[in-house]
């Protein structure tokens, strides 16, 4: 990884995955998406929510409630696109690896484990994608 973009420090656990989720009017789906992430077989991750303060539903209240039992980084800002929100989240990421997830994604319990296993088996790779 190019050092310019490497946010890993000596205190960062090896293999930490930063999961970045843009959230705009996501109350209908985000609880399920987060529940799926909390149930992952690979547990070395942080979740960064790039919340758009222009949301008009109760997304932020739901995130704050979830944060009481499952630590989240909630970054509040004004975004005009999910790309801007992802960039905001990326700047906060501490992980050796970064994964972008949408607030309405359905996530298999072995998603993170599968992705990290591919990286461990093929260290020459820079990116791993899936459907």
């Amino acid at each position: 990884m190019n050092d310019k973009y490497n946010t890993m420090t000596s205190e960062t656990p090896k293999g930490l995955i930063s999961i970045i989720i843009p959230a705009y009017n996501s109350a209908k789906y985000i609880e399920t998406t987060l529940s799926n992430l909390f149930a992952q077989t690979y547990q070395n991750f942080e979740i960064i929510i790039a919340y758009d303060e222009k949301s008009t539903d109760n997304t932020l209240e739901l995130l704050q409630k979830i944060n009481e039992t499952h630590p989240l980084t909630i970054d509040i800002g004004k975004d005009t696109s999910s790309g801007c929100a992802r960039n905001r989240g990326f700047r906060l990421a501490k992980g050796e690896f970064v994964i972008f997830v949408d607030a309405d994604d359905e996530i298999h319990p072995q998603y993170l484990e599968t992705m990290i296993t591919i990286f461990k088996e093929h260290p020459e790779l820079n990116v791993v994608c899936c459907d």
Side-chain angles (χ1 to χ4, degrees), residues 52-63:
D52 186 334
E53 70 181 4
K54 294 180 290 181
S55 286
T56 57
D57 67 4
N58 63 330
T59 300
L60 184 58
E61 291 80 11
L62 287 171
L63 293 172

Side-chain angles (χ1 to χ4, degrees), residues 41 50 68:
T41 56
E68 292 173 7

Side-chain angles (χ1 to χ4, degrees), residues 13-120:
K14 184 139 178 71
L16 179 69
I17 298 173
S18 295
I19 302 168
I20 300 168
I21 306 173
Y24 173 78
N25 287 342
S26 305
K28 185 174 178 179
Y29 306 104
I30 200 154
E31 286 182 282
T32 301
T33 300
L34 290 172
S35 292
N36 289 337
L37 288 170
F38 299 138
Q40 291 293 295
T41 56
Y42 185 88
Q43 286 287 305
N44 187 17
F45 61 86
E46 66 173 347
I47 297 176
I48 301 166
I49 308 289
Y51 173 77
D52 186 334
E53 70 181 4
K54 294 180 290 181
S55 286
T56 57
D57 67 4
N58 63 330
T59 300
L60 184 58
E61 291 80 11
L62 287 171
L63 293 172
Q64 290 168 334
K65 182 175 167 76
I66 293 166
N67 190 40
E68 292 173 7
T69 56
H70 294 86
L72 304 170
T73 298
I74 303 170
D75 184 58
I76 301 173
K78 291 181 182 177
D79 293 309
T80 56
S81 72
S82 60
C84 291
R86 285 182 177 89
N87 288 337
R88 257 187 27 239
F90 186 79
R91 286 190 288 277
L92 297 173
K94 296 181 182 110
E96 182 179 5
F97 304 97
V98 175
I99 290 179
F100 297 106
V101 170
D102 288 326
D104 61 350
D105 283 351
E106 293 184 28
I107 301 164
H108 189 277
Q110 294 176 323
Y111 172 67
L112 296 178
E113 184 176 359
T114 301
M115 300 295 266
I116 200 81
T117 298
I118 293 169
F119 269 114
K120 288 179 180 178

